[in-house]
Amino acid sequence: MAILVDNLLDVHSVTAVLNSLSDDLFVDGKKTAGKTARAVKKNLQADPKSPKIIAATKLVEQALRKHPMVTNSAFPDKLSNIIISRYDEGMTYGSHVDNAFIHATRTDLSFTLFLSDPDTYDGGELILQKHDGDDVIKLPQGSVYIYPTRELHYVAPVTRGVRYAAVGWIQSQVRSEEHRGTLFDLYLALQQMADTEENKQARLQILKARSNLMRMWAE
């Protein structure tokens, strides 16, 4: 199950993050790649120890942890260190699968938060490779795509401009993708059911079922 959240960061927050990204903060992205990924990774990543980058990634994490669509679909427990990546013209990240653990975080879900205006660069799509056809993702500034880490994926070559994104991984309170999907369906059902006296008992029953399932499935 993949989730697209529009406007996780508003325009002011995105601008604040982009304004903190000076050229001197970026290093070769291969330094944080595993042996297999290193062979196909050609991008830049911001120094995670920089105070500016610490502030930027903290802003992203806070937004993820408080957005209801994220909390009710991904059920974040732990987040790995968030990476600010940059792709200049000609840069790409070939087909790979992310490690099962990153910085002591089990990687149940991956996310890409798009920071650049899509009109300012060509290419740079996030491609999820699936048996029934690829999913091609290129989102507006401030929007995030969350997807199962088990998927093979790559970032298409940037052919014009610069692509900035924040990427990271989530260890969910609910490990099973199927269980997360069921809980999210119940959340959506509640959102679509008017909170009226007529619906009061039905809403309570859904809330009861969802809470009991959380108790059964959460770790």
Side-chain angles (χ1 to χ4, degrees):
M1 181 182 72
I3 299 294
L4 190 162
V5 180
D6 290 322
N7 299 316
L8 180 80
L9 293 185
D10 61 27
V11 63
H12 301 294
S13 298
V14 173
T15 300
V17 171
L18 290 174
N19 286 343
S20 70
L21 303 181
S22 53
D23 289 347
D24 61 300
L25 293 177
F26 285 88
V27 298
D28 190 343
K30 292 182 186 292
K31 293 183 177 181
T32 61
K35 182 179 179 181
T36 302
R38 196 177 301 127
V40 297
K41 188 174 186 180
K42 185 181 179 183
N43 70 357
L44 300 172
Q45 291 176 181
D47 178 3
K49 297 179 181 178
S50 163
K52 291 180 179 179
I53 301 306
I54 291 171
T57 56
K58 184 178 291 187
L59 180 67
V60 173
E61 178 169 355
Q62 289 172 344
L64 285 164
R65 287 193 177 278
K66 73 179 183 181
H67 197 288
M69 283 287 287
V70 179
T71 57
N72 288 286
S73 63
F75 305 97
D77 180 13
K78 296 169 63 178
L79 270 72
S80 71
N81 293 348
I82 296 170
I83 296 171
I84 305 291
S85 64
R86 170 177 152 180
Y87 291 77
D88 294 337
E89 237 177 82
M91 291 187 175
T92 184
Y93 194 165
S95 181
H96 65 284
V97 63
D98 297 328
N99 292 337
F101 286 87
I102 296 176
H103 300 295
T105 300
R106 188 185 69 237
T107 56
D108 298 317
L109 295 159
S110 303
F111 65 83
T112 297
L113 171 64
F114 289 77
L115 296 172
S116 296
D117 181 339
D119 292 335
T120 64
Y121 68 99
D122 293 330
E125 297 88 354
L126 169 66
I127 313 290
L128 273 62
Q129 298 169 274
K130 298 184 176 181
H131 296 301
D132 57 350
D134 293 348
D135 290 342
V136 181
I137 313 298
K138 187 173 183 179
L139 301 181
Q141 282 181 301
S143 297
V144 67
Y145 193 72
I146 305 173
Y147 59 96
T149 304
R150 59 178 168 76
E151 302 283 3
L152 280 170
H153 58 282
Y154 66 95
V155 176
V158 171
T159 58
R160 176 184 67 89
V162 179
R163 174 200 193 260
Y164 289 101
V167 300
W169 298 268
I170 297 170
Q171 178 172 312
S172 178
Q173 295 172 333
V174 180
R175 185 185 297 210
S176 164
E177 182 180 351
E178 183 179 4
H179 292 167
R180 288 196 303 269
T182 298
L183 292 167
F184 188 51
D185 285 343
L186 291 171
Y187 166 76
L188 292 177
L190 283 170
Q191 301 308 301
Q192 294 162 11
M193 182 181 291
D195 189 4
T196 62
E197 187 63 30
E198 182 182 7
N199 291 336
K200 182 178 180 180
Q201 192 59 36
R203 288 178 58 86
L204 283 172
Q205 291 294 333
I206 294 173
L207 282 167
K208 174 187 173 184
R210 192 169 187 272
S211 295
N212 287 336
L213 290 173
M214 276 293 294
R215 272 186 281 273
M216 289 171 58
W217 294 338
E219 300 181 357

